[in-house]
Each structure stands twice: as structure tokens, then as C-alpha cells.
């Protein structure tokens, strides 16, 4: 068994006061920067073999031949897993028993459904031997024409979009609103396919012991992974132990167990030895999800005062030929701007790619760059400053549902962000400002929003006789700092300094912490932790207040307060007793309790729950070469209660950088003839590097929300993208006077327009 990782230390200079709200440094930071944090691929159980995928080079057809004999002739190759030589599964991997179950390619036939689909697995003594063995398979194919792009086939209205949302939503009469408008725009925008590209590729180390399975793999949802594996292999969930203490990024791609990870488990069962399978970078472009491309049409109308009379947002997207996931891009128009008439709708086309899935800010990221560009165009048509236009049309209640917001400090975000950025010095017309080098300077902005979600979770709390505490939950840290923020909540829930709390997370034998996705993990696991702490403190208080030897005896009606490892009478705080003394006198080594958390259905029915923000961007454009440089970004965000300002700042920076990347860098380039992605690597799939990152500034606006959950947490992991992409795109227009509606914006777009 691998040693259990326990994070217990925090920097001495930060040990003061309540833990929630303190800018604590990551508790796992030293482990990571010194290389001592074990990721899945770092595990090497005794007798381990290496597995490498052989993947299809076509997008549609079937495999007609694999030279298995040649691969097996390699001296290091142990076995080759193919559709005709594989362990059986207890469940059809194409079966779907719930909406969050997606189909996998697990060598069940010779059919090829997309390029980079796994078609065999070579298992060998070394990684080099497995790689060489995979190359020796030299597959041949029967090839069919690949269906590629948004116009590949007949479109249809999907049954649902995103996580089960209706594909069409209407409020009021859009056509009447457009007909009555004094000003109107009708514009279409396109966004490309994007791939998660976390630094850590998907990986698995799998070991079987009879019908018991031990796994090391990165996961954003341990319990979901257990359930999927149990179904596929026909074993009890409790027979599966998953270790996932650290993830090198996920962005949604590790929320659900993927086909290659299951193939690693199958390979281990086939050879009867532990097997490690790690995806090469190019293998991540297909079987582990991506963000689908979109084409979005927005029609907006305003009256003579610049107030919206109609807003229509239609999105066309793609899904795979064999499964259903539809990017809910048009849903971005549901919540921000007030209009008498709003209509959002979706259509889709089936193509020969891997199935698109959730990717950081799914729906909102793609939808908001189109919406915020259209809002900017509408403001220009009305001759109104873009910020003033947004303030004028800010929705005081959720426009379609009519629900009041649980809290909404967006206008304060507008005000503070604009002040920090210096927005009011911006000329209204484009192409008016140049810097000392003659570069065109432009300023743009975008509104940020993301729903405040919460899932179900559980936690276990323990107080020990030495006065220390333990908090256990199967939480996931993919770089967002969960091991630190959740430990802060645990410490306050237990009434202890954080250095007296042992926080256990990252394994499937701990209470289910829900899924780390939808910017909901801190709220979800945090509420469970908070409730577990309250439950164990209540048990401890019951021991003390019923004991005549305790100074807290009889305080049951008055109540007690837990602070710094002691219980104090609420009506007389001088009467107190340490946890250690209470447990020692009761003859107990420890006391424990559990707690759960889930969204309040009544509050959800009564309120619209969203985080909000405003992002401002400055770009400089070479007027001769068309080169674009983002030089400055300011973001102001209101996201409920902030558990750790340092971690929140980091997450918002990351989101803003991704938004900049969305506008200027990221695109998976598809060969339309073969259906193959032409840039499946980090050299040609462009993401920002340090030289591309501008001066970033983040403000957080205080926001108390008593409705969203007991801790008032909204989440910050995804909101930073949603305003930033539009802000950069709008800044490029303001610098050049060229409105680019296909992203990412290219140099050629500006030169050809000029």
C-alpha cells in the first residue's frame, strides 16, 4: 500500500484569527514545488507493466487488419489487447442509464468512430517496448468519408443542452420587439473546437487482487468513477479503491472516468499484473472530451433610449456520431440583460469526432463571447458607451424566470472595475488612440456571470483526546487549492487552529465529496465539512453540559461556543473547558460525527443564483502587421463569501488568461478531408505563455448571500473566462475599427479588413 498523504502544516506567519477569509498559502505547495506530490503516473507497484494505446488514423470506417504477430514478436511485449482478445465486460459501454453516462470505445468492435480512437492496447515490460509494439501493429482500414464541421450533415434540435437544459427557451415576443426597435443588429459569431490540455495527461495505474481493484488515477469525481467502473466490471463499489490526491489540472475532462482509463484496467485484468497507461499528448485529442465548435446568431433591438426590446440568441453546435452532448451556448443570454422579449435556441449536427463534454465554463464561455460582442455592437449602434449600455440594461431580476437574485453586486463590479481601469477616459469611437510607438490602442469590456451551483457531499469529523481534530472527505484538488480552502472550513467548523486539524482527502474510501466541477466544489464539500464539524461539536457539548464536574454543566439551554480548542458558555465565556479535558474525563480517545450538504430546493425555487463580474481589457495592435498584444486586464468579481483570497485571486487570474486565450489563441485545426486534428500538441495548439500574459489585476467585491448555501459561497473557477474573452475581442474592435466575429482573432482578419 502507498503511504497516506496528510497535509497538516501552514506558514507560521499566517496562524491567527478565524481561518475562513485568511489568505493562507497552499498547504500542498511545498510538496508540489519539491516534486514530492505523487501524481497517478508516479506510482510503480511491484511487477508493473506498461500499456500504450494504438489509435486510429482515420475518422470513420473500420479496422481491417492489425499485425498483432509483429507486435508480439518484439522482445519486450507481453500481450496485445484487441477487439478479439480482451477480458469481458459486465456492461455494454454504449449503454446509458443516466444523463451523465457517456459512451466509451473499449475495443468492443472493429468500428472506428473518430480519429485518435483507441483500436488496440500493447502491454510490455517497458514504456519503450510498448510504444514500439504499438507502431508495429500497422493497421489497415476500410475508410468512409469523414463528416467534419458545423455544416457536415442535417441539423436537428437536440433533446436537451448542457446538463439537461431545454434547447429552446422563450419569454415575450421577439419578432414584435425587433419590429418595434429603433436600432437593431443581426450578427453571427463562430467559436472553434478547444481541448482541455491539462498539464497532467489522463493516466491510470491499475492492480487487481481477485475481484478487488486498486487504482491510481486523476479524478474530479471519485464516487462517480467508482460507480462506472463497478458497472462495467460487475464488481461491488466497495471493491474499488481509487487514490487521486493530486491532479495536474482537469478543467472538466477528468470529471468522468474516460475510455483510456478503463482500457488500463482491462489490460491489468488481461495480464494479471499491475499496468500503467498514460496518454500521450496527441492521444488526448479525442477520447477524453473537448469543447465543441459553435456558430451563434444574435439579433438585438433597442428603443430610442437604448433599452433592449428584444434579444434572440441561436446556437448551432456539434456532437459525436454516437453520443449526445450539446454545448448550451445560447443559455448565456438567460440571466444578464433585461428585455421584454428573449428567445434562446439550439440546433446540432452529428460529426465524426470524439464526444464533446464539459470544459471549463461549458456553455457560458462560448456563449458569452458572442453575447458580449453583440452587446458591444448594439451599444455602438446606439451611440452609447458600452459600460453605460450594460448598466442601462442590467437585469434587476432574472429576465426569463422573474426570480429575484439571491444576491447581485454586478453594478459595484462595474463601478470598481471601471475606476481601477480608468475606463471613463475611453473615447467612444474606435481607432482614436495610439501609443508612443504608433500602435493602435483599444479598450474593451465584458460582463462575467456563472451559475452558483451546489451538489451533494458528505464528511466525517473527529475530535481527539489530545485536542486535535480530523476532517475526512473524498475531495479533489486539481490545482484550485481545495486541500487548503476546505481545511480552513474544517478548522473553523471544529473550532481549532488549522495546524491542529488533519485534513484527509483524495481517496475513494472517504465520504463522498461530490464532483469537483461547475465551480461548486468548495460550496459542496465545504457545507458537508461545516455540518460535520457542527455535529461533532454538538456531541462534545452534550458530554460536557451533562457532566456535573464540567464548568459547562447545565449550559444546554444557553448554548456553547467552540473556539481555539475549547468550549465556552455562550452566556459566560469565562466558563470554559478544553476538548481534551472533556474527552479525558469521559474516558474517550476520540469522538466523531458525520455531516452532509446539498442544495436547498426551496431556495433554488425562490431565487436565481449567480456569481457576477466585469472585465476590462486593453490591447495594442500594430497597424502595419496586425499583431495583437493584450497589455492590461482588470477584473472585478462578486462571488459570495471568499474562503481564501489568495486562492481566489489565483483562480480568477487563470480564468482571465483563459478568456484571453479564447479570444486570441486557442483553436483545434481539423483536416476536413481526413477528420484528423492537425495540431494535437502544445507547440501548435496555441495557449498563452508567460510572454503573452498582460498586467493582470483582480478585485473581489464583498457580497453576503444568505440563500445560496449556509456558507454563502458561490465559486470562482469558471466565472473569470466568461467576461474576459468578450472584453479582449471588444478591445480589438476599439483599437482597429474591425469587428471580427470568428474566433480566435487572427492577424489575417485585421489585415484583410484593412
Amino acid at each position: 500500500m502507498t503511504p497516506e498523504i496528510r497535509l497538516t502544516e501552514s506558514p507560521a506567519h499566517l496562524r491567527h484569527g478565524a481561518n475562513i477569509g485568511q489568505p493562507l498559502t497552499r498547504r500542498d505547495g511545498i510538496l508540489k514545488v519539491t516534486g514530492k506530490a505523487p501524481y497517478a503516473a508516479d506510482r510503480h507497484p511491484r511487477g508493473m507493466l506498461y500499456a500504450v494505446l494504438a489509435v486510429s488514423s482515420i475518422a470513420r470506417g473500420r479496422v481491417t487488419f492489425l499485425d498483432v504477430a509483429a507486435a508480439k514478436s518484439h522482445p519486450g511485449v507481453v500481450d496485445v489487447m484487441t477487439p478479439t482478445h480482451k477480458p469481458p465486460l459486465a456492461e455494454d459501454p454504449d449503454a446509458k442509464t443516466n444523463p451523465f453516462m457517456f459512451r466509451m470505445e473499449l475495443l468492443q468492435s472493429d468500428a472506428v468512430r473518430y480519429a485518435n480512437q483507441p483500436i488496440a492496447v500493447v502491454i510490455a515490460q517497458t514504456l519503450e517496448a510498448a510504444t514500439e509494439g504499438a507502431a508495429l501493429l500497422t493497421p489497415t482500414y476500410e475508410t468512409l468519408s469523414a463528416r467534419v464541421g458545423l455544416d457536415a450533415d442535417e441539423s436537428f434540435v437536440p433533446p436537451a443542452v448542457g446538463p439537461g437544459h431545454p434547447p429552446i427557451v422563450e419569454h415575450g415576443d421577439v419578432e414584435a420587439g425587433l419590429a418595434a426597435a429603433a436600432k437593431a443588429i443581426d450578427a453571427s459569431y463562430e467559436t472553434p473546437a478547444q481541448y482541455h490540455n491539462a498539464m497532467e495527461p489522463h493516466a491510470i495505474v491499475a492492480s487487481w487482487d481477485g475481484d478487488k481493484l486498486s487504482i491510481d488515477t486523476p479524478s474530479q469525481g471519485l464516487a462517480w468513477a467508482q460507480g462506472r467502473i463497478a458497472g462495467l466490471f460487475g464488481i461491488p463499489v466497495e471493491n474499488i479503491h481509487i487514490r487521486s490526491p493530486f491532479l495536474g489540472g482537469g478543467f472538466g475532462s477528468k470529471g468522468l472516468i474516460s475510455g483510456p482509463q478503463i482500457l488500463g484496467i482491462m489490460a491489468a485484468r488481461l495480464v494479471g499484473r499491475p499496468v500503467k497507461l498514460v496518454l500521450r499528448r496527441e492521444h488526448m485529442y479525442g477520447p477524453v472530451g473537448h469543447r465543441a465548435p459553435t456558430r451563434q446568431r444574435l439579433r438585438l433591438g433597442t428603443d430610442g433610449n437604448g433599452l433592449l426590446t428584444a434579444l434572440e440568441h441561436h446556437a448551432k453546435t456539434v456532437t459525436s456520431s454516437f453520443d449526445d452532448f450539446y454545448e448550451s451556448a445560447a443559455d448565456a443570454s438567460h440571466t444578464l440583460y433585461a428585455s421584454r422579449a428573449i428567445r434562446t435556441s439550439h440546433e446540432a449536427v452529428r460529426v465524426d469526432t470524439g464526444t464533446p463534454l464539459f470544459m471549463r465554463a461549458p456553455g457560458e464561455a462560448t456563449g458569452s463571447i458572442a453575447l458580449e460582442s453583440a452587446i458591444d455592437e448594439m451599444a455602438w449602434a446606439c451611440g452609447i458607451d458600452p459600460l453605460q449600455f450594460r448598466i442601462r440594461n442590467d437585469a434587476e431580476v432574472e429576465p426569463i424566470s422573474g426570480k429575484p437574485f439571491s444576491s447581485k453586486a454586478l453594478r459595484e463590479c462595474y463601478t470598481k472595475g471601471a475606476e481601477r481601469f480608468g475606463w471613463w477616459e475611453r473615447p467612444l469611437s474606435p481607432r482614436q488612440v495610439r501609443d508612443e510607438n504608433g500602435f493602435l490602442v483599444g479598450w474593451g469590456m465584458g460582463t462575467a456571470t456563472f451559475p452558483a451551483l451546489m451538489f451533494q457531499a458528505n464528511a466525517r469529523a473527529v475530535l481527539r483526546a489530545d485536542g486535535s481534530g480530523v476532517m475526512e472527505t473524498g475531495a479533489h484538488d486539481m490545482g484550485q487549492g481545495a486541500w487548503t480552502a476546505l481545511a480552513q472550513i474544517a478548522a473553523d467548523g471544529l473550532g481549532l487552529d488549522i495546524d491542529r486539524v488533519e485534513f484527509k482527502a483524495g481517496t475513494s474510501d472517504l465520504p463522498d465529496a461530490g464532483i469537483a466541477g461547475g465551480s461548486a466544489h468548495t460550496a459542496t464539500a465545504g457545507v458537508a465539512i461545516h455540518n460535520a464539524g457542527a455535529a461533532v461539536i454538538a456531541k462534545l457539548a452534550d458530554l460536557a453540559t451533562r457532566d456535573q464536574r464540567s464548568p459547562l454543566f447545565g449550559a444546554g439551554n444557553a448554548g456553547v461556543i467552540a473556539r481555539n480548542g475549547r468550549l465556552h458558555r455562550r452566556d459566560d465565556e469565562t466558563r470554559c473547558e478544553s476538548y481534551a479535558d472533556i474527552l479525558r474525563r469521559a474516558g474517550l480517545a476520540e469522538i466523531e460525527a458525520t455531516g452532509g450538504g446539498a442544495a436547498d430546493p426551496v431556495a433554488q425555487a425562490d431565487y436565481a443564483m449567480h456569481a457576477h463580474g466585469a472585465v476590462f481589457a486593453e490591447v495594442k495592435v500594430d497597424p502595419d502587421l496586425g499583431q495583437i498584444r493584450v497589455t492590461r486586464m482588470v477584473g472585478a468579481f462578486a462571488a459570495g463569501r471568499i474562503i481564501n483570497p489568495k486562492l481566489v485571486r489565483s483562480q480568477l487570474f487563470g480564468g482571465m488568461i483563459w478568456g484571453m486565450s479564447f479570444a486570441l489563441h486557442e483553436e483545434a485545426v481539423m483536416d476536413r478531408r481526413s477528420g484528423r486534428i492537425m495540431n494535437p500538441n502544445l507547440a501548435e495548439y496555441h495557449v498563452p505563455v508567460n510572454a503573452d500574459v498582460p498586467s493582470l489585476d483582480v478585485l473581489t467585491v464583498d457580497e453576503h448571500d444568505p440563500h445560496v448555501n449556509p456558507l454563502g459561497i458561490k465559486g470562482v473557477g469558471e466565472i473569470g473566462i466568461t467576461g474576459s474573452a468578450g472584453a479582449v475581442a471588444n478591445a480589438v474592435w476599439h483599437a482597429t475599427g474591425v469587428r471580427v466575429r470568428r474566433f480566435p482573432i487572427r492577424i489575417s482578419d485585421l489585415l484583410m479588413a484593412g
Side-chain angles (χ1 to χ4, degrees), residues 458-461 511 528 531-533 535-536 539 592-596:
N458 295 289
R460 181 186 303 114
N531 289 340
V536 78
K539 279 190 174 183
E592 72 169 71
T594 60

Side-chain angles (χ1 to χ4, degrees), residues 457-463 470-473 489-490 493-494 511 525-539 591-597:
N458 295 289
R460 181 186 303 114
V462 178
L463 290 174
V470 182
M471 188 65 73
E472 299 177 340
T473 188
I489 296 171
L494 294 173
V527 169
I529 287 167
H530 171 79
N531 289 340
V536 78
I537 291 295
K539 279 190 174 183
I591 188 171
E592 72 169 71
T594 60

Side-chain angles (χ1 to χ4, degrees), residues 657-673:
I657 292 167
W658 198 324
M660 178 183 70
S661 182
F662 199 122
L664 300 180
H665 295 270
E666 284 193 62
E667 178 182 21
V669 180
M670 183 77 74
D671 182 342
R672 301 185 68 84
R673 299 164 300 173

Side-chain angles (χ1 to χ4, degrees), residues 88-93 104 106 227-235 257 262:
L89 295 173
E91 185 177 77
D92 181 356
M104 301 178 178
L106 300 181
R228 187 70 161 120
I229 295 166
L232 286 168
F233 290 94
I235 59 177
I257 197 83
I262 299 296

Side-chain angles (χ1 to χ4, degrees), residues 130 138 361:
T138 57

Side-chain angles (χ1 to χ4, degrees), residues 29-108:
I30 292 175
L31 289 174
K32 288 180 175 177
V33 299
T34 58
K36 294 178 181 178
Y39 293 83
D42 294 327
R43 304 296 192 183
H44 296 85
R46 187 184 300 276
M48 186 189 79
L49 299 174
Y50 294 82
V52 167
L53 297 180
V55 301
S56 66
S57 58
I58 68 167
R60 186 183 180 204
R62 67 183 188 90
V63 180
T64 57
F65 175 73
L66 290 167
D67 198 342
V68 175
K72 283 189 171 181
S73 70
H74 190 291
V77 171
V78 174
D79 209 343
V80 179
M81 191 165 67
T82 69
T84 58
H85 179 60
K86 64 183 185 302
L89 295 173
E91 185 177 77
D92 181 356
D94 272 358
K96 298 186 72 162
T97 58
N98 69 68
F100 292 97
M101 184 177 285
F102 293 93
R103 297 184 171 110
M104 301 178 178
E105 298 72 45
L106 300 181
L107 307 181
Q108 300 303 294

Side-chain angles (χ1 to χ4, degrees), residues 696-722:
L696 294 175
D697 193 5
V698 163
L699 303 83
T700 53
V701 172
D702 290 337
E703 186 176 58
H704 173 65
D705 193 324
H707 309 292
V708 69
N709 55 63
L711 293 175
I713 298 168
K714 287 187 173 180
V716 296
E718 291 158 293
I719 189 175
I721 302 175
T722 63

